[in-house]
Each structure stands twice: as structure tokens, then as C-alpha cells.
Amino acid sequence: MSELLDVVIVGGGLVGGLTALLLAQGGVQATVLDAAPVLDQDKTLAVMNPRVLALSQATIHLLKTVDVWDDLARQMPYSGMQVWNKNGYGEINFGHASEQQPPPDQALGSMVEPSVLNVAIQQKMLQQLKDYRTQVKVIRIEQIPQGWSIQLADGTTLKAKLLIGADGANSFVREQAYIDLDVLDYKQAAISCAIKTTQPNQYVARQIFLPTGPLAYLPMASLDSQENGYWQSIVWTLPDDYADEYSALTDQDFMRLITQESLQMLGEVVDVRSRAQFPLKARAAQRYIKSGLALIGDAAHVIHPLAGQGVNIGCLDAAVLCDVLLHDLKRGAWANDQTLLRYEHLRKGQNDAMMHSMSAIGWLESSELFPFVWARNFGLKQVEQFDWFKDRFMNQANGLAALRYTRYAC
């Protein structure tokens, strides 16, 4: 008979790893099943990842809570954000530009490559978890009277009172638990790559809405410190046919196109690295929980990358779930149905609202109908002119409100 474990987490990325480390901090050791191998730190960090994650203040706070933040090999704080429409007259500016790298207390957030985060999270799990398994393939999951049974490809079967699915957008845990998924296909794709510009970014994240879709310039750290400030990670959202056409361009033609379409907002684009294209679909699990099971992160929701909030709301899922679990543990309970319902209640409504609002903004910004053009220009001007509106936007974006009533509040 196999031992009945308190909790098994399928997925050892940022959200799954953060969950395991927060639980360990609360005295609960999770078994983590990670499909990835142990990363070679030197090789992984020697390559500049073309993508970055825009980490909010709440996510940074949580990474500090589990002692991961200071272990990051590199990251790029940003002190300002600028959003405008190419065919409009309004714009919004948050924070400010800076000639020097902003200190932590003046940064709106930070851009970090996923590979850099994965190295730091994995190393911390190797240090602090008693049962962290890599290169593991889960082949079957089924509900049993005591909780859930997890069968691995090597023949091992684990039993857990609580199973947490943190295994991404194509979650096997969600599929095996028969939790239905709502999918909205945007008929769009995003082109992501790293570019070098002739003008420095001044630690400002920029997003311009083009007729074809939003183009984001996100400051990123360079492997060469002398070039810090001149490298950006871009995310360019396009209709599928445009994305296919632009992806087929040579590097030289692609750099000329970006320079032109961005209105040379940081001068000429003089280098491009690691272009990739991926389809855009919003996904929302109809339930986040079943008895003895919870979904977090991309396993529960995938939103439009418009505001760069996907990873941040996943980390908030982890924090809220750990908080309710550890709260009830003090009362002698563990992962009962009411505890999991409380997690779903606290997170699902907020996440669904974020997903639908990002979809609506993307549609509004792409519309060329006069009433909508007027409305978005007027809206941008109003937000820019009134600090109250900007403060509300920033309070939503920084994620700290979601932590207010948890043990992780700051």
C-alpha cells in the first residue's frame, strides 16, 4: 500500500514551484512532479531568452517571501509605462522615465526571462523540498475515496489527499479530472523576439496600438551589461495571416518593418534574436476545484497577453490557495471541500473579469469604427488627466490588493 501524501503538485514551473515553497514555509512538504529535467545553470543563463515576464509588485513580493528573488541571475526593473494608439491622439503614462536603473522601491515591476526564473525556482526547490522529482511523466489520474491516485510512467503510483494541477494551458490534471474548458480563439498570433534599438528605453515599458494589433516594447536585461537599456523583448499581436507573413520575413526586413510600424519610438532596430510565433487563445476552466483537487495558473486560465498579467494572476492563485490551506491546517483540517471552495470563490471571479476585460480592450483598440475610435481616444485622455483613474489602474496591475487579507500581505 502506498503512503497517502498530504499534497502532490503536478508542474514545477514558476506557479507550481512557488506553491510548493509557500507550503513548505508553512510546514507542509509537497511532492512535486516536474516534467522538466534539472537545468544546467551555466548553459541556461548563458543564453538570452527572447521572452520576458512582466512581474508585478505582488509577484516580486511573493518571490522575496520564499527567498527566490535575490537568487535571480538578472532582471530589469522598469519605472514607467507608456500606452498610446497610432491612429489616435490620447496616451497614458504611468510612473516616469529614468536615466539610471530605478531602485526597487521606485520600480513599477520587473522584466525577467522565464529561463532565469526557472533556474532560481528549481534550485530553491532542490534545497527546500524533500520530494521534488524531475523528468516525471504522469500517465493516469483518478479519484479515489481518500483523494486522488497519480500513476507515473515508471510504474509508481502515488496517492494524495490533495492534488494541485499547475501543469500549464494543456493541463493533463484538468483533463483527467473531467473539468471542462471554455476557449475563445482570437484568430490572432503573437510574434515574440528580442530586439536591440539605437535609443535607450529609459526603463519604460511601451505599448503602441496599431491597426493590426498591439506592439509592446518591454525592457530586458542584456548578457552584456554595456548594452543594458538597448535591448527590448517585443510581443506583437497580429491577425493570423499577418503573423504568418511577418514571421517569414528575413531578419533585415523584419527589423525595417518594426522600425517603421513603431514610429521609431526607440530609433532604428539594429538587431533581432530568436523570433517565435504562437497562437492566442483565451482559456478558462469552468471549475477551479473538485473534491481534493485544485487548478492554479495556466491550468485554470490563460488570458490575452495585452497587459502581461497571466503569470501574475497565476502567482496570486498560488498565494491565495496556500493561505486558505494553511489557515485551515491550524484548525486541524486539510484541503476540505469548503476550503477549496473559498479558494475558487476568491480567484475565479477576478480572473474571469481580467480575461474578459483584456478581450474587450483588444477588440476596442482594433476597431476602426468612428464611435469606438472616439471613445478610446477620449478614454485615454481622461485616464491621463485624472490621477484617481491612474491610481485605480495601478492598484489593479500591481496585484497587492489580492494579497491584502492573506498572510502574504505587504
Side-chain angles (χ1 to χ4, degrees):
M1 296 291 292
S2 60
E3 177 188 1
L4 184 62
L5 303 169
D6 284 330
V7 55
V8 170
I9 301 173
V10 179
L14 172 58
V15 175
L18 176 62
T19 304
L21 293 171
L22 289 172
L23 287 175
Q25 195 174 70
V28 177
Q29 280 284 334
T31 292
V32 176
L33 307 178
D34 192 349
V38 174
L39 298 172
D40 184 312
Q41 294 186 67
D42 292 337
K43 288 184 178 179
T44 302
L45 298 177
V47 178
M48 186 167 61
N49 195 304
R51 280 188 61 222
V52 294
L53 301 174
L55 302 188
S56 67
Q57 293 177 4
T59 297
I60 292 170
H61 171 70
L62 291 170
L63 291 172
K64 289 179 177 178
T65 299
V66 294
D67 297 324
V68 167
W69 183 252
D70 290 338
D71 292 341
L72 296 181
R74 55 182 178 269
Q75 48 95 7
M76 179 59 69
Y78 61 97
S79 59
M81 291 191 295
Q82 182 183 23
V83 180
W84 75 102
N85 194 291
K86 181 178 180 179
N87 295 334
Y89 53 80
E91 70 174 54
I92 309 176
N93 292 279
F94 299 97
H96 56 86
S98 177
E99 297 299 327
Q100 302 295 326
Q101 182 168 309
D105 60 342
Q106 294 180 22
L108 300 180
S110 191
M111 305 293 179
V112 185
E113 298 155 67
S115 54
V116 172
L117 270 169
N118 290 340
V119 166
I121 284 278
Q122 188 177 74
Q123 286 301 308
K124 193 61 67 174
M125 286 195 288
L126 288 167
Q127 295 168 15
Q128 297 194 1
L129 303 187
K130 296 177 181 177
D131 193 9
Y132 170 46
R133 310 184 191 189
T134 58
Q135 293 182 284
V136 173
K137 183 177 181 180
V138 179
I139 61 171
R140 183 179 174 86
I141 295 170
E142 60 181 345
Q143 196 164 16
I144 57 175
Q146 307 98 314
W148 291 83
S149 171
I150 306 101
Q151 185 177 343
L152 310 183
D154 66 2
T156 304
T157 298
L158 305 175
K159 296 178 181 178
K161 299 176 187 176
L162 173 63
L163 173 61
I164 298 176
D167 51 339
N170 299 313
S171 171
F172 186 68
V173 173
R174 184 187 64 228
E175 175 189 310
Q176 292 279 290
Y178 297 102
I179 295 176
D180 290 333
L181 188 67
D182 294 325
V183 179
L184 173 61
D185 189 343
Y186 292 113
K187 307 298 183 183
Q188 295 176 323
I191 294 178
S192 177
C193 61
I195 62 170
K196 183 181 177 183
T197 55
T198 56
Q199 296 176 14
N201 54 50
Q202 296 183 303
Y203 304 97
V204 174
R206 296 168 171 86
Q207 184 159 253
I208 179 172
F209 285 92
L210 306 171
T212 50
L215 169 61
Y217 272 37
L218 308 175
M220 67 183 302
S222 172
L223 295 176
D224 181 354
S225 60
Q226 299 296 319
E227 295 184 344
N228 264 347
Y230 292 89
W231 279 95
Q232 338 292 323
S233 172
I234 73 159
V235 180
W236 194 356
T237 302
L238 296 157
D240 288 334
D241 53 347
Y242 277 83
D244 291 340
E245 178 186 344
Y246 294 171
S247 293
L249 294 174
T250 66
D251 284 350
Q252 290 300 319
D253 287 341
F254 186 76
M255 288 189 290
R256 279 193 290 269
L257 178 66
I258 293 228
T259 299
Q260 173 186 317
E261 290 296 300
S262 69
L263 304 179
Q264 298 195 35
M265 61 181 169
L266 289 178
E268 300 283 330
V269 177
V270 294
D271 198 356
V272 61
R273 307 274 179 89
S274 305
R275 276 191 285 161
Q277 177 183 333
F278 52 93
L280 296 180
K281 296 180 182 181
R283 306 167 189 247
Q286 293 183 358
R287 296 291 309 275
Y288 282 14
I289 63 164
K290 293 188 81 168
S291 182
L293 181 144
L295 301 177
I296 57 176
D298 285 356
H301 47 75
V302 176
I303 70 170
H304 197 287
L306 186 64
Q309 286 296 309
V311 67
N312 295 310
I313 63 176
C315 289
L316 293 175
D317 292 346
V320 171
L321 178 60
C322 291
D323 182 66
V324 298
L325 288 171
L326 294 173
H327 178 269
D328 280 5
L329 183 63
K330 286 186 176 181
R331 303 187 300 124
W334 177 250
N336 63 40
D337 290 349
Q338 289 302 313
T339 302
L340 298 181
L341 277 169
R342 189 156 68 252
Y343 157 69
E344 183 179 62
H345 173 73
L346 289 169
R347 295 303 303 150
K348 191 174 190 306
Q350 286 192 24
N351 294 344
D352 286 350
M354 175 71 78
M355 181 184 75
H356 293 308
S357 64
M358 290 303 100
S359 298
I361 290 172
W363 178 82
L364 177 64
E365 288 291 346
S366 64
S367 175
E368 293 304 311
L369 296 174
F370 174 76
F372 298 115
V373 173
W374 180 87
R376 73 188 179 215
N377 289 332
F378 177 78
L380 286 171
K381 287 188 69 176
Q382 293 302 303
V383 173
E384 177 63 17
Q385 290 176 6
F386 294 99
D387 289 341
W388 182 86
F389 284 124
K390 295 172 80 169
D391 289 344
R392 291 296 298 269
F393 272 106
M394 290 310 301
N395 288 337
Q396 180 67 32
N398 66 31
L400 296 175
L403 299 178
R404 186 178 303 156
Y405 301 110
T406 73
R407 69 195 62 225
Y408 310 113
C410 64

